[in-house]
Amino acid sequence: MGSITVLPAQLAAQTDAGLGNVDEQTPESFEKKEQSPEREKKGNILNIILDKTPAMSTERGTLVIDAYIDSNSNSLWDADEPDLKGEIICTIDDLDYPVPAFIPGLDYNARYKISCQGTGSYQPTASQKNVLIARRGQIIKMTIPCRKASPTE
């Protein structure tokens, strides 16, 4: 046979109050209550200003740009060729980025014209390139071969 546990009166009253006493329930308590109107979701400040939700980073493209000294003029970054830091500036959408550069937030399915120029001793061998963000979340790594600037440049 099973055992029966007797609760003290005070504990039994607390248990009834916590669970709701069956005797106190009425048919009205089972009826569906009208829901209060849901408050409008306002979002963040960008949603308010731009009137749309900004695209997530996984929906946008990223461009990574590095520059190096192409000492043998083969347009390949060989192990013995050093990288350049702060010697090249690349312009995308009228914004200048010192190289090396990490540029996130590029629009999906958009073309970008990239123009690069040297700031002093070195010049890129190609001054313009075009990039297409063809896939959502695409990361494009671009290396720019550079040469020593001649005194006339």
Side-chain angles (χ1 to χ4, degrees):
M1 283 221 201
S3 64
I4 298 175
T5 306
V6 178
L7 296 173
Q10 185 179 12
L11 185 56
Q14 289 175 347
T15 305
D16 285 344
L19 297 175
N21 195 343
V22 176
D23 296 334
E24 293 176 10
Q25 293 180 347
T26 61
E28 291 83 26
S29 64
F30 291 104
E31 291 178 8
K32 185 176 179 181
K33 294 181 182 178
E34 284 187 38
Q35 295 179 343
S36 59
E38 189 175 320
R39 293 180 67 193
E40 183 180 331
K41 295 179 183 176
K42 294 188 179 187
N44 63 27
I45 190 74
L46 288 176
N47 294 353
I48 294 168
I49 294 171
L50 301 175
D51 195 31
K52 65 178 183 174
T53 305
M56 296 179 60
S57 60
T58 56
E59 294 179 1
R60 294 184 167 252
T62 302
L63 179 62
V64 180
I65 305 173
D66 282 312
Y68 64 96
I69 301 170
D70 191 13
S71 53
N72 57 6
S73 298
N74 67 351
S75 296
L76 297 173
W77 196 350
D78 300 319
D80 62 335
E81 295 174 333
D83 61 334
L84 290 174
K85 293 182 180 177
E87 294 285 334
I88 305 296
I89 301 285
C90 290
T91 305
I92 302 169
D93 283 345
D94 297 326
L95 294 173
D96 291 337
Y97 296 93
V99 175
F102 178 82
I103 307 164
L106 300 176
D107 290 332
Y108 162 67
N109 211 15
R111 253 179 228 289
Y112 292 92
K113 180 179 155 188
I114 302 164
S115 59
C116 300
Q117 61 277 350
T119 60
S121 305
Y122 297 94
Q123 291 294 324
T125 56
S127 61
Q128 290 188 353
K129 290 191 177 194
N130 291 317
V131 171
L132 170 67
I133 305 299
R135 293 185 320 267
R136 286 184 168 87
Q138 183 175 17
I139 298 172
I140 298 175
K141 181 155 174 60
M142 190 168 89
T143 55
I144 302 171
C146 300
R147 60 180 164 73
K148 189 108 169 124
S150 63
T152 58
E153 291 184 82

